[in-house]
């Protein structure tokens, strides 16, 4: 509507000015035509009057004409063009001169012949200017200025009304926008606030009011230390200062208690608000409550750590892989087996970190593709120059959108060794039964042999036995001669040797029966010296024709403490321990002498009164062993003997007997090239394991 009124008023002004300008132009032409007509009249007057007056007489008429007819200049020439008379009109002044210079009031040169009696006697020339038009033009200009001023005034009034309307409209829009923004802020879960550069609050959202129980109008102008405790306010103000100094957005983890005193954690994004010239005029903060998320994260971390601890505590190697065979999980046992940490292997191909048996990686891919568990039992593998047996199980991951597999590798070496130990134990039981049967079979002819030797000695040496005397008389000899002959030939000494050898064989067989007989785990008291001496007698029978090994050739040095107390133990098992040590030491000294001296055992028995222990030291002068072998000497199936020469079970079984069955201790110390000492300590007061 306002634009339409302005358009109408503009058209009126243009119409008025155009009409007045047209009138002005028409008036100019009209007066110019009249000026030409008057010039013709002036020419007739001059032609008729010049001859009536003398030449020197003023020409009053021409002067009057010059003054009254807007002539700037009047020139009269004769028929030869010679100036006859000249008259100057009034000079132009003020705005007429300016308008003349601008061409608004132009000067028109007019010319007319002077005719007298039909003959041209001269020429009348004038410079005519319509000076009276200046008044109309002045009126036109004033009118234009008036109309223009009126137009501008009306424009200002209209613009004022328009501006006021627009201000009202924009104010309403701004208020609506502000209300909309405030509604958005008030419905946001985050805490939103605005501060000036002095860190005074300018505005907050509804969430701020709810959490801290403070009205936003009351809050305006307050600082953090007016609302929160010193520590919280100090942290807030410190973070705000970083924003002011850095003039860029930053993120902080902050905390503040709510109005109930409950601890709340926030992730705060704070950023500066800047003017066009870059000057910071306010700080805006958006703080998201992460209390529950943080609790959930703590619980998740605890659960993750719990599961990780479970996985890491498992004795199996557990490796997770994705579809491409890249490692996603690596437990502690895998780290121990390879020496590589999880950080070093995660994301790498499995074959670069863990060596599986040939074609095992293809089985992993097959298990993932078929979603079927794969199992490989007791795969032999050489590790650290030792054969280890592994059981490999592949579990495909097929749930919760996770695809891949878990590879479980179990060290079955001990299981294999245990199975071999059981087989060996069965063999030993069979050998024990066989030894018992053989001893029984040996005892029968041995008893006959000893009895026959005793009868022979009686029949050859008893001079009073009637049967002897009768037999000698029958063949014609005397018993005294027969006895004398036997003495000279040493027959009686030989018979005694037969009896002694038979007795020793009987004792050996008896020891073998006691050693091989299946025990009933019954503890009895034994003299330590007797246990040692009995096992020495049994060890003395150890002989190997192939290796020219004979225990009897080894020097035995006994160093027994006097008055040793009785030792409560399972005698057969302790003798088994002693025999294993003696046999291993004897074989080592025979095969590879260490000190260069003759093989020798030093056996020591002593009583450690303070610890109430019986100490048994068995020292040899063999080749000894290094620290690596000493650490593993009691491991099952560990042996330094050539293949086929030992099972590696003797010392491990001996260690078990001493430590588990008798709550004692068994140690070894050795110097390569100097010999070895095995030390056994047995408690004198035994509390047996059930």
């Amino acid at each position: 509507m306002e634009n339409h009124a302005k358009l109408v008023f503009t058209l009126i002004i243009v119409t008025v000015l155009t009409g007045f300008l047209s009138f002005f132009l028409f008036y100019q032409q009209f007066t110019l035509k009249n000026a030409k007509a008057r010039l013709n009249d002036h020419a007739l007057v001059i032609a008729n009057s010049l001859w009536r007056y003398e030449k020197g007489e003023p020409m009053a008429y021409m002067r009057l004409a010059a003054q009254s007819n807007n002539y700037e200049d009047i020139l009269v020439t004769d028929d030869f063009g010679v100036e006859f008379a000249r008259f100057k009109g009034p000079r132009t002044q003020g705005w007429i001169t300016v308008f003349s210079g601008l061409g608004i009031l132009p000067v028109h040169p007019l010319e007319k012949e002077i005719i007298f009696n039909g003959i041209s006697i001269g020429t009348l020339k004038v410079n005519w200017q319509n000076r009276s038009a200046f008044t109309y033009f002045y009126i036109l200009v004033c009118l234009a200025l008036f109309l223009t001023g009126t137009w501008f005034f009306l424009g200002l009034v209209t613009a004022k009304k328009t501006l006021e309307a627009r201000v009202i409209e924009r104010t309403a829009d701004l208020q609506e926008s502000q209300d909309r923004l405030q509604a958005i802020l008030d419905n946001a879960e985050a805490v939103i606030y605005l501060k000036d550069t002095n860190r005074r609050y300018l505005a907050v959202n509804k969430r701020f009011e709810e959490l801290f129980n403070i009205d936003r109008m009351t809050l305006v102008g307050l600082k953090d230390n007016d609302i929160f405790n010193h520590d919280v306010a100090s942290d807030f103000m410190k973070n705000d200062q970083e924003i002011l100094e850095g003039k860029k957005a930053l993120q902080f983890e902050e905390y503040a208690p709510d109005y109930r005193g409950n601890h709340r954690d926030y992730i705060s994004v704070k950023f500066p608000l800047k003017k066009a010239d870059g000057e910071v005029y306010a700080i805006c903060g958006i703080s998201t409550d992460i209390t529950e998320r943080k609790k959930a994260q703590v619980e998740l971390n605890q659960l993750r750590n719990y599961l990780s601890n479970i996985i890491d505590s498992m004795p199996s190697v557990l490796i997770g892989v994705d579809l491409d065979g890249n490692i996603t999980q690596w437990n502690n046992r895998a780290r121990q087996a390879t020496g590589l940490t999880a950080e070093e292997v995660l994301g790498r191909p499995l074959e670069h970190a863990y060596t599986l048996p040939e074609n095992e990686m293809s089985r992993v891919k097959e298990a993932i593709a078929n979603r079927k568990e794969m199992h490989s039992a007791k795969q032999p593998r050489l590790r650290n120059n030792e054969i280890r047996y592994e059981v490999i199980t592949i579990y495909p991951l097929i749930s919760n959108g996770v695809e891949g597999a878990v590879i479980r590798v179990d060290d079955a070496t001990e299981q294999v060794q245990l199975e071999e130990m059981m087989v060996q134990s069965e063999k030993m039981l069979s050998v024990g039964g066989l030894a018992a049967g053989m001893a029984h079979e040996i005892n029968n002819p041995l008893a006959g042999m000893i009895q026959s030797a005793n009868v022979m000695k009686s029949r050859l040496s008893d001079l009073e036995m009637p049967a002897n005397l009768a037999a000698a008389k029958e063949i014609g000899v005397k018993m005294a001669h027969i006895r004398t002959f036997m003495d000279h030939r040493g027959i009686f000494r030989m018979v005694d040797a037969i009896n002694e050898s038979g007795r020793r064989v009987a004792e050996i067989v008896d020891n073998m029966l006691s050693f091989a007989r299946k025990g009933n785990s019954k503890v009895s008291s034994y003299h330590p010296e007797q246990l040692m001496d009995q096992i020495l007698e049994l060890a003395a029978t150890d002989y190997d024709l192939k290796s020219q090994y004979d225990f009897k050739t080894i020097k035995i040095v006994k160093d027994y403490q006097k008055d040793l107390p009785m030792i409560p133990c399972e005698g057969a098992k302790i003798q088994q321990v002693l025999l294993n040590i003696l046999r291993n030491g004897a074989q080592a000294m025979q095969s590879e002498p260490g000190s260069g001296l003759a093989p020798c055992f030093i056996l020591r028995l002593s009583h450690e009164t303070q610890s109430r222990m019986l100490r048994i030291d068995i020292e040899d002068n063999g080749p000894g062993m290094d620290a690596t072998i000493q650490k593993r000497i009691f491991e099952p199936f560990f042996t330094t003997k050539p293949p086929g020469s030992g099972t590696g079970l003797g010392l491990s079984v001996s260690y078990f007997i001493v430590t588990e069955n008798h709550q004692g201790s068994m140690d070894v110390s050795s110097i390569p090239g100097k010999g070895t000492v095995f030390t056994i300590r047995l408690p004198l007061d035994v509390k047996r394991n059930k």
Side-chain angles (χ1 to χ4, degrees), residues 94-108:
W95 285 102
I96 296 178
T97 304
V98 174
F99 288 158
S100 297
L102 295 175
I104 297 175
L105 296 176
V107 176
H108 298 279

Side-chain angles (χ1 to χ4, degrees), residues 393 528 547:
T393 308
S547 60

Side-chain angles (χ1 to χ4, degrees), residues 372-564:
K372 184 178 179 181
E373 179 181 324
M374 307 288 287
H375 185 79
S376 300
K378 299 175 186 176
Q379 299 285 334
R381 181 177 181 181
L382 184 64
R383 182 180 292 169
N384 298 328
N385 297 322
E386 180 184 2
I387 295 179
R388 310 291 295 181
Y389 293 89
E390 295 178 339
V391 177
I392 302 175
T393 308
I394 304 169
Y395 302 95
L397 300 175
I398 57 177
S399 61
N400 298 327
V402 178
E403 294 188 349
V406 174
I407 303 171
R408 172 181 168 183
V409 182
D410 294 293
D411 191 342
T413 306
E414 292 185 2
Q415 180 182 352
V416 173
Q417 292 175 348
L418 181 60
E419 292 173 356
E420 293 180 1
M421 187 183 298
M422 293 176 64
V423 173
Q424 187 67 21
S425 297
E426 292 295 330
K427 289 182 180 179
M428 293 297 292
L429 289 174
S430 299
V431 170
L434 181 61
M438 291 177 63
H440 179 71
E441 295 298 326
I442 291 173
N443 276 338
N444 288 334
L446 183 61
M449 181 186 71
I450 293 175
Q451 184 179 1
S452 296
N454 288 330
V455 171
M456 286 176 60
K457 183 177 181 181
S458 176
R459 291 185 179 184
L460 292 175
S461 62
D462 192 351
L463 300 179
E464 302 297 331
M465 183 182 291
N468 288 348
L469 294 173
K473 184 178 179 179
E474 185 178 349
I475 62 174
V477 294
K478 294 182 179 181
M479 283 298 299
H481 293 163
I482 294 174
R483 182 172 181 173
T484 301
F485 174 79
M486 295 297 177
D487 284 336
H488 279 286
R489 294 296 296 166
I491 299 301
F492 294 129
R493 181 175 54 80
M494 294 179 184
V495 172
D496 290 339
I498 291 173
N499 283 330
E500 177 63 23
S501 296
R503 184 188 63 77
R504 288 193 61 200
V505 170
E507 289 181 356
I508 292 172
V509 170
D510 185 60
N511 287 337
M512 289 181 62
L513 285 173
S514 298
F515 184 73
R517 188 178 295 117
K518 189 174 182 180
N520 56 4
S521 300
K522 183 177 180 181
V523 175
S524 299
S525 296
Y526 294 89
H527 289 286
E529 302 93 331
Q530 290 181 358
L531 285 176
M532 183 65 78
D533 290 342
Q534 287 176 1
I535 207 64
L536 284 174
E537 290 181 6
L538 186 58
T541 63
D542 196 10
Y543 178 78
D544 189 342
L545 179 63
K546 183 177 179 181
S547 60
Q548 297 298 313
Y549 154 68
D550 188 356
F551 190 88
K552 294 178 182 178
T553 63
I554 298 175
K555 181 181 178 181
I556 304 296
V557 178
K558 299 180 180 180
D559 183 10
Y560 299 166
Q561 182 179 327
K562 293 182 180 182
D563 301 325
L564 289 172

